[in-house]
Amino acid sequence: MPPGPGARSLETPLLTEDLRRGVREVCSRFPDEYWRDLDAGRRYPEEFAAAMTEAGYLGALIPEEYGGMGLGLSAGCVILGEVNRSGANAGPAHAQMYTMGTLLRHGSEAQKRECLPKIAKGELRLQAFAVTEPEAGTDTTSIRTTATREGDDYVVEGRKIYISRVKQSDLMILLARTTPLEEVEKRSSGLSVFLVDLKEAEGLTVKPRRVMMNNATSELIFEGMQLPAGNIIGEEGEGFRYIIDGMNAERILIAAECVGDGRWFVEKATERAGAREVFGRRIGENQGVQFPIARAYANVEAASLMVEKAASLFDRGEPCGAEANLAKLLAADASWEAANVAVQTFGGYGFDAEYDVERKFRETRLYQVAPISTNLILSYVAEHVLGLPRSF
Ligand SMILES: Cc1cc2nc3c(=O)[nH]c(=O)nc-3n(C[C@H](O)[C@H](O)[C@H](O)COP(=O)(O)OP(=O)(O)OC[C@H]3O[C@@H](n4cnc5c(N)ncnc54)[C@H](O)[C@@H]3O)c2cc1C
């Protein structure tokens, strides 16, 4: 059931190094100027996504029988970490990896045979995952988007907000309520997951929202959008469990990106501190400049160990909820600390688009908030790991 138990292991250092080298080679064809231009024009990295697909990396976690590489989550972490470490933004790659996981783990054989080989070849993009709503926010079981069965279809009504890459995807995973909240025993029951063919969708309005970084994000308005009943993933009413189930993978993958970002910031700051001369000496000769970089380095490397631990547990099919959450928390904090240190080390140049630090600073800031905010992880750790009383 890759990603997860059964996926090809990446325990051998040789395989890891090969993978790392291969990803670096693809990334080297997309220098800083490429990402800077995309950022300025708020464009999707079409060329990068095509190159990553062609090299097989976007389908890395798809099993070999469906045309992918059949690698595990540890491999996904190496890929995404290297992408972000190169100065790029792995958004399209990570979305495809964890969004595809929902289909892979819970989709019917027919759905998998229909979609996965095309996703692996790059003929179909599944990079949109619609959960968040304006009213419910972090409280996912309060979502109000409904999917009501009418004959052979479900009819969808409601709104979603900040949904990434809808205009750049062919398919989208949608979470909607199929049984009203008042009629279920547990709030988490009565939610279902659907595969939406975005090219066919009628009754769906997509309104782009400009956000801090180059992440195509939209508001979605569903007004009687019809979905064939066969587009449900897994069983009706079990959708919340499927979404939760994918969250460990998502958190670990994004934590790996944060480590990649952190390493990029530390490398840039170190380079700058060693080269920039002020008061007749290199700024890096001052411990006031050195120490924050050294501390950021220590925190990024420590976070990286937790990411490796979480990914390795995941790949062995062992419980990893605590480690996945800790990895995301520590890595997001470490990358954000490293981002601040890089801006400080660059001084005014840290704010200048030509030096790329400000772009990466904006990009890594997201991970304090999405896909899960730092507070919610702390709450998970307090309640589920430490056994403290439930607070909400
Ligand atoms: C660029 C971008 C891309 C995104 N892409 C997607 C996507 O593709 N798909 C998708 O479904 N969503 C996406 N999101 C949405 C994102 O997952 C949410 O914004 C995020 O989960 C937080 O929800 P919210 O914005 O409603 O914040 P709120 O729920 O309004 O929370 C606001 C703040 O309050 C804190 N808070 C809330 N409740 C508590 C509590 N009980 N205790 C302590 N603190 C609390 C939160 O930690 C947060 O910091 C994206 C968001 C952005 C900005």
Side-chain angles (χ1 to χ4, degrees), residues 81-95:
E82 281 305 316
V83 169
N84 273 27
R85 187 181 188 166
S86 78
N89 182 353
H94 78 208

Side-chain angles (χ1 to χ4, degrees), residues 23 54 79 133 178 182 194 212 239 276 312 316 334 351 378:
V23 178
E54 196 186 322
I79 295 170
E133 296 191 3
T178 37
E182 313 75 69
F194 297 89
M212 189 189 279
R276 169 77 169 162
S312 156
R316 293 204 300 272
F351 296 80
L378 289 171

Side-chain angles (χ1 to χ4, degrees), residues 252-291:
I252 297 168
L253 288 170
I254 286 184
E257 283 175 46
C258 290
V259 167
D261 276 345
R263 289 185 173 142
W264 185 89
F265 286 118
V266 168
E267 281 161 18
K268 286 280 166 192
T270 306
E271 232 173 74
R272 183 74 180 174
R276 169 77 169 162
E277 288 193 15
V278 178
F279 294 111
R281 56 194 284 177
R282 287 174 297 164
I283 57 170
E285 288 175 46
N286 303 300
Q287 290 188 330
V289 174
Q290 285 178 359
F291 284 6

Side-chain angles (χ1 to χ4, degrees), residues 63-321:
E64 285 172 295
E65 57 175 313
Y66 300 112
M69 281 184 171
L71 294 173
L73 203 73
S74 302
C77 288
V78 170
I79 295 170
L80 298 182
E82 281 305 316
V83 169
N84 273 27
R85 187 181 188 166
S86 78
N89 182 353
H94 78 208
Q96 187 118 313
M97 283 185 189
Y98 67 72
T99 308
M100 174 284 298
T102 310
L103 178 60
L104 182 60
R105 282 188 297 274
H106 305 289
S108 67
E109 194 51 38
Q111 286 169 333
K112 291 194 274 191
R113 294 249 162 253
E114 168 64 23
C115 300
L116 293 177
K118 291 182 187 158
I119 293 172
K121 279 194 219 140
E123 291 167 8
L124 271 184
R125 271 192 203 146
L126 171 56
Q127 296 183 2
F129 193 69
V131 175
T132 307
E133 296 191 3
E135 290 86 7
T138 305
D139 182 8
T140 304
T141 57
S142 297
I143 62 165
R144 296 187 189 172
T145 296
T146 54
T148 311
R149 185 74 188 252
E150 286 183 14
D152 290 339
D153 292 323
Y154 283 92
V155 178
V156 182
E157 300 281 347
R159 276 172 76 202
K160 298 277 175 188
I161 189 103
Y162 304 129
I163 309 304
S164 304
R165 290 168 290 273
V166 178
K167 283 191 176 280
Q168 290 78 17
S169 290
D170 302 294
L171 300 172
M172 175 175 80
I173 301 273
L174 169 72
L175 182 72
R177 189 159 271 293
T178 37
T179 309
L181 195 52
E182 313 75 69
E183 293 174 25
V184 291
E185 269 182 33
K186 275 180 26 202
R187 298 180 64 82
S188 55
S189 301
L191 294 164
S192 303
V193 170
F194 297 89
L195 192 60
V196 180
D197 183 342
L198 289 164
K199 306 292 171 222
E200 300 281 309
E202 282 177 23
L204 167 62
T205 309
V206 180
K207 288 188 177 170
R209 314 266 319 189
R210 190 180 164 94
V211 291
M212 189 189 279
M213 77 295 289
N214 180 22
N215 185 92
T217 313
S218 301
E219 179 179 357
L220 309 183
I221 301 161
F222 301 95
E223 290 166 306
M225 183 185 80
Q226 287 191 317
L227 275 178
N231 283 29
I232 195 162
I233 294 184
E235 282 181 50
E236 185 180 300
E238 294 295 314
F240 187 71
R241 187 164 63 77
Y242 303 157
I243 296 284
I244 290 283
D245 184 57
M247 282 180 176
N248 285 338
E250 181 185 26
R251 284 171 201 178
I252 297 168
L253 288 170
I254 286 184
E257 283 175 46
C258 290
V259 167
D261 276 345
R263 289 185 173 142
W264 185 89
F265 286 118
V266 168
E267 281 161 18
K268 286 280 166 192
T270 306
E271 232 173 74
R272 183 74 180 174
R276 169 77 169 162
E277 288 193 15
V278 178
F279 294 111
R281 56 194 284 177
R282 287 174 297 164
I283 57 170
E285 288 175 46
N286 303 300
Q287 290 188 330
V289 174
Q290 285 178 359
F291 284 6
I293 305 175
R295 186 177 292 279
Y297 171 77
N299 288 334
V300 170
E301 293 310 310
S304 168
L305 294 178
M306 186 56 81
V307 176
E308 281 175 27
K309 181 178 178 183
S312 156
L313 286 170
F314 186 98
D315 282 341
R316 293 204 300 272
E318 291 177 28
C320 64

